[in-house]
Amino acid sequence: MSVERTFSIIKPDAVAAGQAGEILAMIQKAGFKVLALRMTRLTETQARGFYAVHSQRPFFSGLVKFMTEGPIIVMALEREDAIKGLREVMGATNPANAADGTVRKRFATDIERNCIHGSDAPETAEVELRFFFSTSELQ
Ligand code: UDP
Ligand code: MG
C-alpha cells in the first residue's frame, strides 16, 4: 500500500459535545498527518450534495438535518493506507457494532449521530476532498 489521502468530518454532535480535540488526537496517534483542517457549517444544499449517494435512503432527510445542525470540522488526512486506516479508527457505522477503542464506540450516540465521517474509497476521497478544499490547501 502506498501513501494516500482521505477526507474526514468531525460531525456536529461531536463538535457540540467538545469531543473534537480527543477525536483529532486519536487520528494523529494512529499516524495520520493533517494536511488541512477547517471548522465550517454545512448549508442544506451542501449536505444534500455531499451525501447525494444516500438520497434515496430512508435516513436521508434525518441525516441532512443532523449534518446542518451545527459546526463541523473538515480534515484532509494523509497516511499509508489512509482510507482503510481511518475507517478502522472510526469504527462501525452503528456504534453498537463498533470495536473497543474506536471513535464511534467511545463517543457516538446511535447509527445517525456517530461523530465522524471518513471516505470509503480512493475515488470518493478525491471527490470529498475537493468538495471542501482547494488544490493549494492540499499541498
Ligand atoms: N446513517 C443513518 N442511518 C443509517 C445509516 C447511516 O443515519 O441507517 C447516517 C450516519 O450518520 C452515517 C451516514 O448516514 O455515518 C452515512 O452512511 P454510511 O452508510 O455511508 O456510513 P459511514 O460510511 O459513515 O460509516
Ligand atoms: Mg459512508
Side-chain angles (χ1 to χ4, degrees), residues 2 9 25 27 30 85 88 93 118:
S2 54
I9 301 176
I27 291 168
E88 286 168 8
T93 307

Side-chain angles (χ1 to χ4, degrees), residues 6-89:
T6 192
F7 173 74
S8 184
I9 301 176
I10 302 177
K11 295 183 178 182
D13 54 340
V15 174
Q19 296 159 341
E22 282 186 78
I23 292 172
L24 181 59
M26 289 170 75
I27 291 168
Q28 291 183 301
K29 275 184 196 142
F32 288 88
K33 178 181 173 188
V34 181
L35 296 177
L37 180 153
R38 182 167 74 245
M39 184 179 274
T40 185
R41 189 165 174 163
L42 291 178
T43 64
E44 187 178 332
T45 304
Q46 283 177 308
R48 287 179 163 273
F50 183 77
Y51 278 118
V53 66
H54 295 309
S55 63
Q56 301 309 310
R57 309 284 288 278
F59 60 81
F60 184 66
S61 62
L63 176 60
V64 169
K65 191 158 185 284
F66 164 49
M67 290 301 295
T68 56
E69 74 181 27
I72 61 171
I73 294 172
V74 293
M75 298 175 284
L77 302 171
E78 186 176 80
R79 204 193 79 172
E80 191 91 2
D81 208 5
I83 293 162
K84 184 164 162 279
L86 182 66
R87 304 280 315 184
E88 286 168 8
V89 173

Side-chain angles (χ1 to χ4, degrees), residues 51 53-54 87 90 93 104 117-120 128:
Y51 278 118
V53 66
H54 295 309
R87 304 280 315 184
M90 289 162 55
T93 307
R104 284 167 165 171
H117 167 84
S119 307
D120 61 9
E128 291 174 0

